[in-house]
Amino acid sequence: MNSGEGCSEEIPLPSSPRELTQNPLKKIWIPCKNGLPEKHIFQRKVCMTNCPTLIVTVGLPARGKTYISKKLTRYLNWIGVPTKEFNVGQYRRECVKIYKSFEFFSPDNEEGLKIRKQCASAALNDVRQYLTDEGGQVAVFDATNTTRERRDTITRFAEQNGFKVFFVESVCEDPAVINENIVQVKLGSPDYTHCNTDEAVEDFMKRIKCYENSYQTLDEVLDRDLSYIKIIDVGRRYLVNRVQDHIQSRIVYYLMNIHITPRSIYLCRHGESDMNVKGRIGGDSGLSLRGKDFARRLGQFIQKQDISDLKVWTSQMKRTIQTAEGLNVPYEQWKALNEIDAGVCEEMMYEEIQDHHPLEFALRDQDKYRYRYPKGESYEDLVQRLEPVIMELERQENVLVICHQAVMRCLLAYFLDKSAEELPYLKCPLHTVLKLTPVAYGCKVESIFLNVDAVNTHRDRPENVNVHRTTEDALQTVPPHL
Amino acid sequence: MAQTPNKPQVRKRFRCDSIASVPQFTNSPTMIVMVGLPARGKTYISKKLTRYLNWIGVPTKVFNVGQYRRDAVRTYKNFEFFRPDNEEAMKIRKACARSALSDVGTYFMLEHGQAAVFDATNTTRERREIILSYAKDNGYKVFFIESICDDPEIIAENIKQVKLSSPDYIDCDKEEAVADFLKRIECYKVTYVPLDDDKDSHLSYIKIFNVGSRYLVNRVQDHIQSRIVYYLMNIHVTPRTIYLCRHGESELNLVGRIGGDSGLSPRGSQFAGALGKYIKSQSIPDLKVWTSHMKRTIQTAEALGVAYEQWKALNEIDAGVCEDLTYEEIQANYPEEFALRDQDKYRYRYPKGESYEDLVQRLEPVIMELERQENVLVVCHQAVMRCLLAYFLDKSAEELPYLKCPLHTVLKLTPVAYGCKVESVSLNIEAVNTHRDRPANVEVSREPEEALLTVPDHI
């Protein structure tokens, strides 16, 4: 949540204040002239920096740089900061089609050095394009960047282009961690498709050695004017220097809350509710008989999973709490997990919404992510509301979250890196548990249907989203209900 | 399952009293232990952190050992008291520390405290061992905050701001006081052993260097420590001013209705104009202006002629089913709700709406960003302004919902010493009063007249 840095442009005080008009999709009040909205308005989105930010990873191979890059990129995009990662190793693989051995990385391999330098330049070029021409706000430059010389080059590049720079260094000497890292992500790398495990490990170790001699870690004194975070031993200790602005502060907070301890996150909705059965949205109704059945089965399922130290979270709505009650374990309520507020459409059926608010219904289909119900919320609002939940999920280990359709879509989009366009249409059916297990750079998903029938509450985007469409066209994709 | 009228039934994991909008994350209470030479900002950090933690709902208290010392040794003579070879004084200082520790125990065990800030120099390993032992014996977590600073300018400013006016130096002239205090610092320097990154690697701590240009964070154990670290990393001591005000009088204000999304009344528009003139006259460098997403705050900001940002988090409290009603209508349609609200205005949640407690949660990111920023004008709403004000002025949950935030009045907040100076600036444009005091009778069985006793006048 950064404000426009130093943006206090002066407009002469108007003789009478400008008229306001409300944007029909997002329900935002903006000034208008002759009934037409004026451009000049700053929306408090997460990152209102004028300067884009270049995040630069630093560290020996197998220190988790790519893991951090991808995870951080995923998080920033989810909270609404357009971010992209640029992995120099990827550029190298495209340039040098076949990887032979660690010799490529030997410090006296001049040919190798030339290619690697070119790849870094190519990547920086793409960074410039992304941040300057493509509306990117943050670019993550993922490479070893282990020499001061390389980092100075990048800093100069950033200065020339008006980008802020923030370094993220990962330092780790624990052989167990490094080994696990190699097993998880290096053995499966395109570089080692033709090797057996022992060969690959041996070669990779020699590769690391190539970097060790020239490695210049970020120094408290020499680099005191740089902005950076040094992550030591996978988060046991952090050194943070000169955080410049809001987005860097958020990045630091995020990095300090993530961990790599294996664990599973279970996401599911409340059991089928009385409103679900009637095809009504929102409200605060209780479980139907089948919903109660689901709650019991969920309890059995959880028991069988034999999860150590499972935390259970619900919203503050009756249906999730009733579901948790069926588990017979302690649970905690979060107001932030409440279902999306449908405002004036609360407790209506889709047919009624079409009847009473056909314009709203069409606008929602046009941009389901940004559309805000009158006196209600949008998916975009939901994501903001859920950010503390995500932060705490990152801190925790085994957690079961019993929530709601829109909420579950938002959480799932975070874990599975789904875009704002896909998010509102993710399939999250009732009575189905999604088990998420972090693996390599992403998340494994297992979908477990607990064998209790329920209505379908998923409404696909209809073909015709025009405000002048017929009722029939609008209601085409409404799932059946009583 | 019964829903208690204003709060849903819940099975709490650890704490059984409050049913807040967020889970309560702590099981064991936490001792936050300051470390550092005198004039390094320990008390400033202690007080500010305590204020923040209490505001977000974590019962926290400061235990300032210097205060215990002042109570034990009525008159302060000079720095000789702090000499490392002054055995008599050492005995007293040790006793004070123990007394403070004992009070920490009482606070946790009997007063439901969750965090205690142990504010003292704690500059020797020996002293820190005593604290760690005590915490271990009682099952408390420990988190150290060490402030390290060698910039003589910062230290001099510190001494000027808070030491010269200390009870210790009440009878001294400025120069004497400064000289004595500097000698006091020297006494500690001799035995100062900072937290060691190797020897103390098993402890949980944050080291703050030079008022925040660098931080070292070691072994954050849990959620509350993570929040503390985030907070400490966002605060600064650069002088600045925060302006808080409500939108200009709205159409709904005039007719005594709550909530809604109406526009400004003619007097409200006048206020907006006056606000613009006032802001211009203040000549504030680099002023950021924030509004909510509601028409009335945006209309107000429009008159300022500067760029502003809209925050949904600054929207007025959602009155749920009572939106757009007058108090008279609420009494007529929801008399029980109306009474419950008067019984506990902070925790009371409107049906399908919010409570002040929810508001605080919603506003936490706003406060965090306000801490990061410098000069800011926040144009918001009555309940929202009460929450923000309570944070800056350290008001309790009981006082918060009754803070006076009248229309057409700007509150100018300037951080000074350990607190905040408030200037109330009325822009001299008439407006309705929207402040409803707690009536004498809050029983559900009360008469409508008793319920409506304190409703302010309206059309």
Side-chain angles (χ1 to χ4, degrees):
Chain A
M1 279 172 272
N2 199 352
S3 53
E5 315 267 83
C7 64
S8 47
E9 344 163 351
E10 282 270 343
I11 306 166
L13 281 171
S15 44
S16 52
R18 297 183 289 187
E19 282 297 304
L20 293 184
T21 181
Q22 193 180 47
N23 164 288
L25 182 86
K26 296 182 75 169
K27 313 297 188 291
I28 304 288
W29 289 103
I30 46 184
C32 66
K33 214 179 198 170
N34 305 322
L36 291 169
E38 279 197 25
K39 274 268 185 98
H40 157 81
I41 186 68
F42 287 110
Q43 263 301 297
R44 166 53 62 157
K45 280 205 227 154
V46 180
C47 188
M48 285 296 302
T49 43
N50 306 352
C51 303
T53 304
L54 177 58
I55 298 172
V56 181
T57 62
V58 179
L60 294 173
R63 263 56 177 182
K65 298 182 301 299
T66 302
Y67 175 81
I68 289 170
S69 299
K70 287 183 183 265
K71 209 169 156 75
L72 186 58
T73 300
R74 178 161 56 88
Y75 168 72
L76 290 173
N77 278 312
W78 187 74
I79 60 171
V81 182
T83 306
K84 193 169 168 188
E85 32 141 4
F86 297 83
N87 177 288
V88 176
Q90 210 30 60
Y91 284 74
R92 187 259 308 157
R93 272 184 280 274
E94 268 153 44
C95 186
V96 183
K97 294 287 162 186
I98 309 168
Y99 173 76
K100 288 210 196 76
S101 77
F102 74 96
E103 303 266 349
F104 181 82
F105 294 96
S106 166
D108 28 75
N109 181 343
E110 282 198 28
E111 182 63 35
L113 277 171
K114 221 170 71 173
I115 295 175
R116 289 156 71 195
K117 236 184 190 157
Q118 280 171 359
C119 288
S121 294
L124 279 181
N125 244 325
D126 287 351
V127 163
R128 182 205 341 259
Q129 194 176 324
Y130 177 66
L131 295 180
T132 314
D133 302 328
E134 292 172 28
Q137 282 225 271
V138 177
V140 183
F141 191 71
D142 177 19
T144 49
N145 299 316
T146 39
T147 61
R148 190 156 282 118
E149 184 203 353
R150 170 59 58 86
R151 296 194 292 266
D152 283 344
T153 309
I154 298 170
T155 309
R156 273 195 305 272
F157 163 82
E159 258 166 45
Q160 283 164 5
N161 288 284
F163 307 151
K164 288 186 182 177
V165 182
F166 188 73
F167 293 95
V168 177
E169 180 172 20
S170 173
V171 174
C172 180
E173 290 312 319
D174 183 342
V177 173
I178 296 166
N179 259 315
E180 180 60 23
N181 193 315
I182 295 177
V183 163
Q184 280 251 344
V185 295
K186 303 299 177 190
L187 299 185
S189 148
D191 291 344
Y192 295 112
T193 4
H194 305 298
C195 301
N196 70 39
T197 309
D198 291 331
E199 282 172 0
V201 172
E202 201 188 322
D203 183 272
F204 199 82
M205 290 303 211
K206 293 202 187 108
R207 204 153 117 178
I208 299 178
K209 274 252 163 310
C210 295
Y211 285 90
E212 270 174 12
N213 284 330
S214 56
Y215 182 18
Q216 292 165 305
T217 184
L218 286 169
D219 184 86
E220 258 175 47
V221 178
L222 293 171
D223 299 308
R224 63 180 171 276
D225 290 328
L226 299 179
S227 297
Y228 64 85
I229 178 172
K230 195 185 270 209
I231 304 170
I232 298 154
D233 289 338
V234 204
R236 188 178 50 79
R237 175 184 297 174
Y238 304 91
L239 220 141
V240 181
N241 199 65
R242 292 199 188 277
V243 171
Q244 297 172 46
D245 60 14
H246 175 88
I247 196 68
Q248 290 179 17
S249 162
R250 291 286 287 276
I251 289 166
V252 165
Y253 185 42
Y254 181 71
L255 293 176
M256 286 176 45
N257 281 314
I258 60 180
H259 67 78
I260 55 169
T261 311
R263 49 84 169 253
S264 289
I265 294 171
Y266 298 81
L267 298 181
C268 72
R269 291 166 66 187
H270 52 82
E272 184 191 67
S273 72
D274 288 325
M275 287 255 191
N276 288 147
V277 173
K278 297 191 194 125
R280 295 185 175 282
I281 66 171
D284 194 15
S285 61
L287 299 179
S288 67
L289 275 168
R290 298 194 295 194
K292 291 188 180 136
D293 199 5
F294 167 73
R296 271 189 296 273
R297 305 248 185 144
L298 182 63
Q300 289 163 358
F301 170 74
I302 291 300
Q303 277 236 12
K304 264 207 222 93
Q305 287 277 306
D306 201 21
I307 310 146
S308 64
D309 226 348
L310 178 74
K311 304 276 202 298
V312 178
W313 296 352
T314 69
S315 70
Q316 287 190 343
M317 296 181 140
K318 191 174 182 183
R319 49 200 188 279
T320 57
I321 298 168
Q322 271 186 317
T323 308
E325 281 287 320
L327 305 179
N328 250 314
V329 294
Y331 57 90
E332 295 183 66
Q333 299 182 15
W334 289 73
K335 186 172 191 277
L337 284 172
N338 280 6
E339 181 57 316
I340 192 172
D341 183 355
V344 301
C345 298
E346 276 285 318
E347 297 184 49
M348 288 192 180
M349 296 185 286
Y350 288 120
E351 292 83 347
E352 288 167 352
I353 300 176
Q354 169 59 22
D355 212 12
H356 296 130
H357 309 281
L359 172 63
E360 295 292 329
F361 203 37
L363 286 173
R364 184 158 211 253
D365 284 335
Q366 288 177 17
D367 190 346
K368 197 175 175 190
Y369 184 74
R370 283 163 206 85
Y371 170 82
R372 188 184 282 168
Y373 281 106
K375 303 196 177 176
E377 294 177 301
S378 62
Y379 271 94
E380 194 171 29
D381 296 328
L382 248 195
V383 162
Q384 233 219 338
R385 158 146 84 80
L386 287 167
E387 201 264 351
V389 178
I390 286 294
M391 198 62 88
E392 190 56 21
L393 271 172
E394 285 295 346
R395 290 197 55 80
Q396 292 288 344
E397 293 184 16
N398 295 316
V399 188
L400 162 65
V401 184
I402 303 171
C403 53
H404 305 264
Q405 185 166 244
V407 169
M408 187 161 161
R409 285 170 171 155
C410 292
L411 298 178
L412 199 58
Y414 167 75
F415 287 109
L416 303 185
D417 203 15
K418 299 294 181 185
S419 68
E421 282 54 54
E422 301 169 281
L423 186 161
Y425 295 101
L426 293 175
K427 285 215 163 68
C428 295
L430 287 164
H431 299 184
T432 308
V433 180
L434 291 185
K435 180 177 174 179
L436 306 165
T437 318
V439 72
Y441 294 136
C443 225
K444 181 175 88 165
V445 200
E446 279 170 68
S447 173
I448 305 126
F449 173 59
L450 292 192
N451 264 320
V452 180
D453 281 330
V455 294
N456 172 27
T457 56
H458 185 96
R459 181 179 162 267
D460 271 310
R461 189 183 201 257
E463 265 188 63
N464 191 345
V465 300
N466 194 293
V467 302
H468 301 299
R469 63 190 176 176
T470 61
T471 301
E472 224 186 299
D473 278 350
L475 298 175
Q476 204 182 24
T477 55
V478 171
H481 58 87
L482 279 179
Chain B
M1 221 176 56
Q3 188 185 55
T4 66
N6 59 336
K7 306 170 202 157
Q9 193 196 59
V10 69
R11 177 136 44 124
K12 288 305 286 182
R13 198 190 172 111
F14 309 115
R15 284 161 44 81
C16 300
D17 32 13
S18 89
I19 299 174
S21 1
V22 245
Q24 305 297 293
F25 288 104
T26 44
N27 327 348
S28 335
T30 305
M31 280 192 66
I32 300 165
V33 182
M34 305 302 301
V35 180
L37 294 171
R40 263 58 177 177
K42 297 184 302 299
T43 301
Y44 175 81
I45 291 170
S46 300
K47 287 180 183 258
K48 207 171 157 75
L49 184 59
T50 299
R51 179 161 57 87
Y52 169 71
L53 290 173
N54 277 312
W55 186 76
I56 61 170
V58 181
T60 309
K61 193 169 168 186
V62 181
F63 295 82
N64 177 289
V65 178
Q67 205 36 58
Y68 283 73
R69 187 259 307 159
R70 273 184 279 273
D71 290 340
V73 183
R74 296 282 148 185
T75 336
Y76 173 73
K77 289 212 197 75
N78 59 37
F79 77 95
E80 307 262 357
F81 183 83
F82 292 98
R83 288 179 51 163
D85 51 357
N86 185 338
E87 281 193 30
E88 181 63 35
M90 269 300 175
K91 250 179 24 194
I92 296 174
R93 290 160 71 195
K94 231 178 190 167
C96 287
R98 286 212 175 276
S99 177
L101 274 182
S102 163
D103 286 353
V104 166
T106 309
Y107 177 61
F108 285 156
M109 300 285 75
L110 302 176
E111 295 171 41
H112 305 297
Q114 279 226 274
V117 184
F118 195 72
D119 178 18
T121 49
N122 298 316
T123 39
T124 62
R125 179 156 278 122
E126 182 204 359
R127 171 59 56 85
R128 297 196 290 266
E129 272 308 314
I130 294 174
I131 298 169
L132 284 165
S133 254
Y134 177 78
K136 189 163 180 213
D137 291 340
N138 290 286
Y140 307 150
K141 290 187 180 175
V142 179
F143 187 73
F144 292 95
I145 300 176
E146 182 170 22
S147 174
I148 295 166
C149 180
D150 41 26
D151 182 336
E153 274 186 40
I154 297 178
I155 295 165
E157 179 62 23
N158 194 315
I159 295 177
K160 201 175 89 175
Q161 280 251 344
V162 294
K163 303 299 177 189
L164 298 184
S165 52
S166 147
D168 291 343
Y169 294 112
I170 242 172
D171 300 311
C172 299
D173 80 19
K174 225 164 73 168
E175 268 148 35
E176 277 174 11
V178 174
D180 184 271
F181 198 82
L182 289 174
K183 293 204 191 96
R184 204 153 116 177
I185 298 179
E186 291 305 313
C187 294
Y188 282 91
K189 274 195 183 162
V190 182
T191 50
Y192 181 22
V193 180
L195 288 168
D196 187 277
D197 294 331
D198 290 313
K199 297 209 190 86
D200 297 314
S201 65
H202 56 291
L203 299 178
S204 297
Y205 62 84
I206 179 173
K207 278 192 197 179
I208 305 171
F209 296 89
N210 288 322
V211 205
S213 70
R214 193 164 93 242
Y215 304 90
L216 203 149
V217 181
N218 198 66
R219 289 198 190 276
V220 171
Q221 295 173 48
D222 61 15
H223 175 90
I224 196 68
Q225 291 180 15
S226 161
R227 293 286 286 277
I228 289 167
V229 164
Y230 184 42
Y231 182 71
L232 293 176
M233 286 175 43
N234 281 314
I235 61 180
H236 66 75
V237 293
T238 312
R240 50 81 169 253
T241 308
I242 295 171
Y243 298 81
L244 299 181
C245 73
R246 291 166 65 187
H247 52 82
E249 184 190 68
S250 72
E251 299 289 353
L252 284 181
N253 286 147
L254 269 181
V255 295
R257 293 184 177 282
I258 67 171
D261 194 15
S262 61
L264 298 180
S265 70
R267 297 194 295 197
S269 298
Q270 268 189 294
F271 165 73
L275 182 63
K277 290 207 189 77
Y278 170 71
I279 290 301
K280 250 199 141 99
S281 74
Q282 290 277 297
S283 288
I284 309 146
D286 231 345
L287 177 73
K288 303 283 201 293
V289 179
W290 296 353
T291 70
S292 69
H293 275 195
M294 297 179 141
K295 193 173 182 184
R296 50 200 188 278
T297 57
I298 297 167
Q299 277 183 318
T300 308
E302 275 288 311
L304 304 181
V306 297
Y308 57 89
E309 292 182 66
Q310 299 183 13
W311 288 70
K312 187 170 192 277
L314 285 171
N315 278 5
E316 181 58 314
I317 192 171
D318 183 356
V321 301
C322 298
E323 278 284 317
D324 291 299
L325 300 184
T326 60
Y327 288 120
E328 292 84 351
E329 286 165 356
I330 299 175
Q331 169 58 28
N333 294 310
Y334 307 98
E336 193 187 356
E337 294 293 327
F338 203 36
L340 287 171
R341 186 159 206 252
D342 284 335
Q343 288 176 18
D344 189 348
K345 197 175 175 190
Y346 183 73
R347 282 164 206 85
Y348 171 82
R349 188 185 282 167
Y350 280 107
K352 303 196 179 175
E354 294 177 302
S355 62
Y356 271 93
E357 194 170 32
D358 295 331
L359 248 196
V360 162
Q361 240 253 302
R362 182 163 42 91
L363 286 167
E364 201 264 350
V366 178
I367 287 295
M368 198 61 90
E369 189 56 20
L370 271 171
E371 285 295 345
R372 290 197 55 80
Q373 292 289 343
E374 293 184 17
N375 296 317
V376 188
L377 163 65
V378 184
V379 182
C380 54
H381 306 265
Q382 184 166 247
V384 169
M385 187 162 160
R386 283 171 171 155
C387 292
L388 298 178
L389 198 58
Y391 167 76
F392 288 109
L393 303 186
D394 203 16
K395 298 295 181 185
S396 68
E398 281 54 54
E399 302 168 279
L400 187 162
Y402 295 102
L403 293 176
K404 286 217 162 66
C405 294
L407 287 164
H408 300 185
T409 308
V410 181
L411 290 185
K412 181 175 172 181
L413 304 166
T414 321
V416 72
Y418 293 136
C420 222
K421 182 175 87 168
V422 201
E423 274 172 69
S424 174
V425 183
S426 165
L427 293 193
N428 274 320
I429 313 263
E430 292 284 314
V432 294
N433 172 28
T434 56
H435 186 96
R436 179 179 165 267
D437 272 311
R438 189 182 201 258
N441 191 345
V442 299
E443 292 304 314
V444 174
S445 53
R446 65 190 176 177
E447 296 293 323
E449 303 86 62
E450 292 176 291
L452 299 173
L453 203 60
T454 53
V455 171
D457 302 320
H458 58 86
I459 301 176

